[in-house]
Amino acid sequence: MGLLMIPGDPAKDLSSGFAVFGDSVPALRAFILDRLRKENIRPAAPKAKGGAVIPVRVGLVPRPDNDYDTRAVSVTAPPCDGLSVLDRHMGYLYSSALHVTGQSIRDLTEETGMPVGCHGWIELYDLEDDGRFYNDEDDEDEDDPDWEPSSHELVSWAEQKVFGYAVGSVRVVLPERQTVRALVDAYLAARRQEADRCTEEGLAPAGVEQGLRRALAERLAIRLRTGLSHRAAGGAWGRETERDRARQRLDAEARPLLRAWETYRSSPHGFRDLRAVTRSIFQHTRILVMDGSGVQVG
């Protein structure tokens, strides 16, 4: 199955990266390595960083199953790469990009049931622009044998040297909000008119990409089988993960704050309609206490 593409112009439209987490590193690394071929290299677009790029197509999949934001949109490798849509997951669009195209992507997916995508590129830089190039010239030692791919370094220095370019991030090209909205509205209007002329009965909209439904069902079945085997063997449903431990630490840190907040709210204070608001600036988070008029009181 192909992609229903959102057109974009690399010369003038927004080109942004996306959030990459540990669980999406293998898929993103495989996606990049599969496309690192000299014949794919093109001159960089006017808005691109670096001296060259490799044009790519990526999928954009609404993920209402996301634990943190039901509006989340996954950036995936295209369906032609094989595997399920979950196994092709490479990261999530940033909130700023969701503001631009999030609703349009959801509308396209809900009404068509087809996978949606857009164009993008892999950034490439001259090796001479990388400080490691000069440090490595007189170094006869092999590259770090303990190197492992991460969200910050998906391709090893050795692999980049063999390819001949330093590899940057993958960026997606998305038009401004009004342009996307107009294109999507026009496409869906034409599709509805065609459907009205059709006398055959069709299936109801899937609500999410059909491949996502199937992949989620398959993953749920695997997790249930794994959980049942763990339950039968050791009395527990599964092994504790680092994410579980991180959540437990955050919960433990939050409980005293919640108790202090409840104590403060129930004590005499002279304010009306108190509420707590979280503000994050450059990864520094503060919890502000506001009264009903929006004035900070604590």
Side-chain angles (χ1 to χ4, degrees):
M1 182 184 293
L3 288 171
L4 184 59
M5 298 294 291
I6 296 176
D9 184 349
K12 63 179 182 180
D13 289 331
L14 174 69
S15 60
S16 68
F18 48 88
V20 180
F21 301 98
D23 59 347
S24 57
V25 165
L28 182 54
R29 171 174 161 80
F31 174 84
I32 292 175
L33 290 179
D34 185 60
R35 287 154 176 84
L36 288 188
R37 294 188 290 272
K38 294 294 176 59
E39 61 268 24
N40 290 340
I41 298 175
R42 301 289 184 273
K47 285 195 172 185
K49 297 180 180 179
V53 299
I54 294 179
V56 296
R57 295 190 311 150
V58 298
L60 301 171
V61 181
R63 292 293 300 273
D65 60 305
N66 186 284
D67 293 336
Y68 303 101
D69 189 347
T70 56
R71 304 170 306 156
V73 174
S74 167
V75 179
T76 73
C80 62
D81 280 25
L83 303 176
S84 76
V85 67
L86 296 179
D87 293 324
R88 289 185 274 113
H89 167 69
M90 302 189 300
Y92 287 102
L93 290 182
Y94 291 122
S95 297
S96 56
L98 282 181
H99 175 73
V100 174
T101 59
Q103 186 59 51
S104 298
I105 294 168
R106 291 191 292 273
D107 290 346
L108 277 176
T109 303
E110 288 172 1
E111 293 210 27
T112 67
M114 295 175 60
V116 176
C118 71
H119 296 281
W121 60 70
I122 301 171
E123 296 173 337
L124 301 177
Y125 302 88
D126 290 335
L127 288 177
E128 290 84 350
D129 294 337
D130 194 313
R132 292 174 298 179
F133 175 82
Y134 299 101
N135 295 335
D136 190 65
E137 285 184 325
D138 300 322
D139 189 356
E140 297 181 357
D141 294 336
E142 294 294 329
D143 291 276
D144 183 4
D146 298 325
W147 178 87
E148 292 185 357
S150 68
S151 58
H152 301 293
E153 191 171 24
L154 293 154
V155 184
S156 72
W157 177 230
E159 290 168 327
Q160 293 176 81
K161 285 192 296 184
V162 170
F163 180 59
Y165 282 89
V167 180
S169 62
V170 178
R171 304 185 73 83
V172 296
V173 180
L174 296 169
E176 63 179 7
R177 184 179 182 181
Q178 293 83 351
T179 301
V180 176
R181 186 73 267 170
L183 289 170
V184 170
D185 287 347
Y187 174 82
L188 293 179
R191 182 182 174 89
R192 293 179 193 122
Q193 290 178 359
E194 182 65 24
D196 291 340
R197 290 194 295 267
C198 183
T199 57
E200 297 179 0
E201 293 185 359
L203 294 174
V208 295
E209 182 191 322
Q210 296 172 4
L212 176 60
R213 284 179 175 270
R214 183 170 58 253
L216 286 171
E218 292 172 353
R219 180 166 291 186
L220 176 60
I222 293 172
R223 289 182 174 176
L224 284 175
R225 288 196 298 269
T226 303
L228 286 171
S229 65
H230 283 308
R231 180 73 173 177
W237 284 107
R239 296 187 180 92
E240 186 178 58
T241 66
E242 179 57 35
R243 189 169 183 175
D244 293 329
R245 291 188 285 272
R247 177 180 53 78
Q248 292 168 5
R249 288 194 298 270
L250 291 173
D251 288 346
E253 294 171 0
R255 290 189 191 101
L257 297 176
L258 290 173
R259 286 195 294 268
W261 169 238
E262 290 301 324
T263 300
Y264 182 81
R265 290 184 62 187
S266 59
S267 63
H269 46 63
F271 300 106
R272 298 182 58 185
D273 302 325
L274 285 181
R275 67 186 189 279
V277 179
T278 302
R279 291 285 186 266
S280 296
I281 301 177
F282 300 116
Q283 299 182 347
H284 178 69
T285 301
R286 299 178 62 198
I287 300 176
L288 308 179
V289 180
M290 317 289 285
D291 67 7
S293 60
V295 176
Q296 178 182 339
V297 297

